[in-house]
């Protein structure tokens, strides 16, 4: 009959709703930068004082400032673009765990760069983004506070690493064990079936 709407094919109805391209790009950029920042940070702390170590500290700070800026964009984007819903078949505990993990990830993605900035300020070392734009020192020089913030920055980094590892493990579990198409919301696999 003319004018009658046909439902979408079954295959497209089974596919999970994807994230927007902007959300996917921000997710990928932040993930790559956090891996780079953690790797550089882990490597540089063991080096003796040298021009290389100082340069790596600058790179590490630049990565942190970029992650913080992208986080602001990501939060602004998420406020206006709700993420696709999680699969209805997920148990309530798993839904709660996923929401808690995401909330803690966002919190730590903010706290890690902030603690680094505060630490640099307390140690009297101004952060100069890309070697061009100095960030204001938000704390007066205080060596004891600087050492405390250094320890806090390290703890927060390892906590973030733990949460990211849990996030990745959960995504892989959904992809390979549950086969619910959840990972396809962020990574658009060709020919993927839920």
């Amino acid at each position: 009959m003319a004018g009658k709407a046909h439902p979408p094919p079954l295959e497209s109805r089974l596919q999970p709703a994807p994230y927007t391209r902007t959300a996917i790009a921000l997710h990928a950029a932040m993930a790559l930068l956090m891996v780079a920042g953690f790797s550089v940070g882990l490597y540089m702390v063991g080096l003796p004082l040298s021009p290389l170590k100082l340069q790596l500290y600058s790179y590490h700070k630049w990565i942190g400032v970029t992650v913080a800026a992208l986080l602001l964009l990501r939060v602004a984007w998420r406020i206006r673009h709700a993420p696709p819903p999680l699969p209805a078949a997920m148990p309530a505990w798993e839904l709660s765990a996923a929401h808690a993990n995401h909330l803690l990830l966002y919190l730590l993605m903010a706290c890690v760069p902030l603690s680094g900035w505060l630490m640099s300020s307390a140690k009297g070392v101004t952060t100069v983004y890309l070697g061009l734009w100095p960030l204001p020192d938000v704390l007066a020089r205080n060596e004891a506070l600087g050492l405390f913030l250094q320890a806090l920055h390290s703890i927060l980094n390892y906590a973030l690493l733990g949460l990211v590892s849990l996030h990745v493990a959960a995504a892989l579990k959904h992809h390979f064990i549950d086969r619910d198409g959840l990972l396809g919301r962020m990574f658009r696999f060709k020919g993927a079936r839920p």
Side-chain angles (χ1 to χ4, degrees):
M1 180 187 291
K4 185 175 179 182
H6 295 283
L10 177 61
E11 183 177 289
S12 67
R13 283 183 278 150
L14 290 175
Q15 294 296 327
Y19 279 93
T20 63
R21 290 187 189 280
T22 301
I24 292 170
L26 287 169
H27 180 273
M30 289 184 71
L32 290 172
L33 285 169
M34 287 191 299
V35 168
F38 188 84
S39 301
V40 170
L42 201 58
Y43 176 68
M44 71 189 189
V45 294
L47 293 176
L49 185 61
S50 65
L52 172 63
K53 181 169 185 164
L54 295 176
Q55 189 62 62
L56 290 177
Y57 265 89
S58 292
Y59 294 158
H60 181 74
K61 290 179 180 186
W62 300 349
I63 290 169
V65 173
T66 305
V67 166
L70 288 176
L71 179 63
L72 292 175
L73 286 174
R74 192 169 174 183
V75 169
W77 184 262
R78 186 159 181 164
I79 287 170
R80 296 187 53 100
H81 302 83
L86 293 169
M90 278 179 69
W93 72 266
E94 207 168 352
L95 288 169
S96 296
H99 289 304
N101 187 269
H102 276 98
L103 182 63
L104 288 171
L105 278 170
Y106 275 89
L107 182 63
L108 283 174
M109 285 187 292
C111 289
V112 167
L114 179 60
S115 65
W117 181 21
L118 292 173
M119 173 185 68
S120 288
S121 293
K123 288 189 168 203
V125 182
T126 300
T127 298
V128 183
Y129 185 56
L130 302 178
L132 299 171
W133 300 288
L135 274 61
D137 288 322
V138 289
L139 294 174
R141 185 168 186 166
N142 182 322
E143 194 60 33
L145 181 58
L147 290 172
F148 168 77
L149 289 167
Q150 180 178 345
L152 179 64
H153 185 64
S154 180
I155 290 166
L156 291 173
N157 267 285
Y158 281 105
L160 181 58
L161 176 64
L163 280 177
V164 167
S165 300
L166 185 62
H167 182 66
V168 170
L172 293 175
K173 178 245 185 199
H174 279 281
H175 187 69
F176 291 109
I177 297 173
D178 298 341
R179 297 181 180 272
D180 56 10
L182 190 67
L183 198 59
R185 301 180 329 152
M186 187 59 72
F187 302 98
R188 299 177 184 182
F189 304 112
K190 293 200 182 289
R193 287 167 30 182

